[in-house]
Amino acid sequence: HEMFYNCKKLKNFGSFFDSIKTDITSDMSFLFCNCEQITSLELKFDNTITRNMRGMFMNCFRLNTLILQNFKTNNVEIMWEMFKNCKSLTNLNLGSFDTSKVTDMESMFEGCSSLVSLSLTNFRTPNVRYMNKMFRDCTSLQSLYFNRISSESLGTMQQMFYNCKSLKYLNIFSLTEKE
């Protein structure tokens, strides 16, 4: 929780995460928040019990490469503001993300103004209550792919696509409504 919060000048972590024990960490909120100089991160640490990833990469303005291939998200409940204002990210592979327990995705990608395309085809949302501003100000986003959005628990989607002025293709294969 907030381990590197506001380390505005930090540029590189080297092999720091190769030796740190993270398998007992349930809260990774704001872990890299406001690390404005970081341009690249490849995270391979064990985060299997993590439940909170709120603002984890928020305001990493220069982050353009983020590798999360073996990232375990099967216990995560909060992804609120996770990538908010990662203005330099052009590509993001979230293929390994398990979102079945997530309840909050509010502002998850808000302000990711360089993202051009995003595939969330593996996202499952049966417990998500908040998707407000999820893609707000993703001004370069042209295509967005969802396999399925479940609205069983969904409370609100206000401003979900606000100011996505480049969005040309939105594919939601299935929208499951409340019964």
Side-chain angles (χ1 to χ4, degrees), residues 44-101:
K44 297 178 182 178
F45 52 74
D46 184 351
N47 60 319
T48 50
I49 70 161
T50 303
R51 295 176 58 159
N52 187 353
M53 291 185 171
R54 179 179 179 195
M56 190 171 181
F57 305 101
M58 186 166 80
N59 297 333
C60 291
F61 301 128
R62 292 197 171 105
L63 184 65
N64 59 33
T65 303
L66 182 58
I67 300 171
L68 304 170
Q69 287 176 329
N70 297 315
F71 222 51
K72 306 288 186 247
T73 58
N74 53 309
N75 287 309
V76 177
E77 296 172 5
I78 300 168
M79 290 185 172
W80 181 11
E81 300 174 324
M82 189 171 180
F83 303 103
K84 184 176 180 178
N85 293 325
C86 289
K87 297 177 182 288
S88 298
L89 275 179
T90 56
N91 184 25
L92 193 54
N93 182 352
L94 304 178
S96 66
F97 272 39
D98 176 350
T99 59
S100 59
K101 291 185 181 175

Side-chain angles (χ1 to χ4, degrees), residues 129 131-133 149 154-161 175:
R129 291 190 302 259
M131 286 185 164
N132 298 353
K133 300 181 259 179
I149 295 179
L154 195 57
T156 180
M157 298 166 83
Q158 290 178 327
Q159 296 184 0
M160 189 171 179
F161 302 103
L175 180 61

Side-chain angles (χ1 to χ4, degrees), residues 133-149:
K133 300 181 259 179
M134 191 170 176
F135 305 101
R136 181 184 168 133
D137 295 325
C138 290
T139 54
S140 298
L141 189 64
Q142 294 179 21
S143 56
L144 179 60
Y145 303 89
F146 271 104
N147 209 22
R148 190 173 135 204
I149 295 179

Side-chain angles (χ1 to χ4, degrees), residues 11-18 20 32 38-46 56-57 63-71:
K11 293 183 178 184
N12 192 324
F13 288 97
S15 59
F16 176 77
F17 288 108
D18 294 344
I20 193 167
F32 304 103
I38 299 229
T39 58
S40 178
L41 272 175
E42 181 174 0
L43 301 179
K44 297 178 182 178
F45 52 74
D46 184 351
M56 190 171 181
F57 305 101
L63 184 65
N64 59 33
T65 303
L66 182 58
I67 300 171
L68 304 170
Q69 287 176 329
N70 297 315
F71 222 51

Side-chain angles (χ1 to χ4, degrees), residues 91-142:
N91 184 25
L92 193 54
N93 182 352
L94 304 178
S96 66
F97 272 39
D98 176 350
T99 59
S100 59
K101 291 185 181 175
V102 177
T103 59
D104 195 340
M105 291 182 173
E106 183 170 342
S107 299
M108 188 172 178
F109 304 100
E110 181 179 354
C112 291
S113 53
S114 295
L115 269 180
V116 175
S117 180
L118 189 59
S119 177
L120 305 176
T121 55
N122 57 316
F123 271 37
R124 301 293 176 263
T125 61
N127 296 304
V128 174
R129 291 190 302 259
Y130 306 104
M131 286 185 164
N132 298 353
K133 300 181 259 179
M134 191 170 176
F135 305 101
R136 181 184 168 133
D137 295 325
C138 290
T139 54
S140 298
L141 189 64
Q142 294 179 21

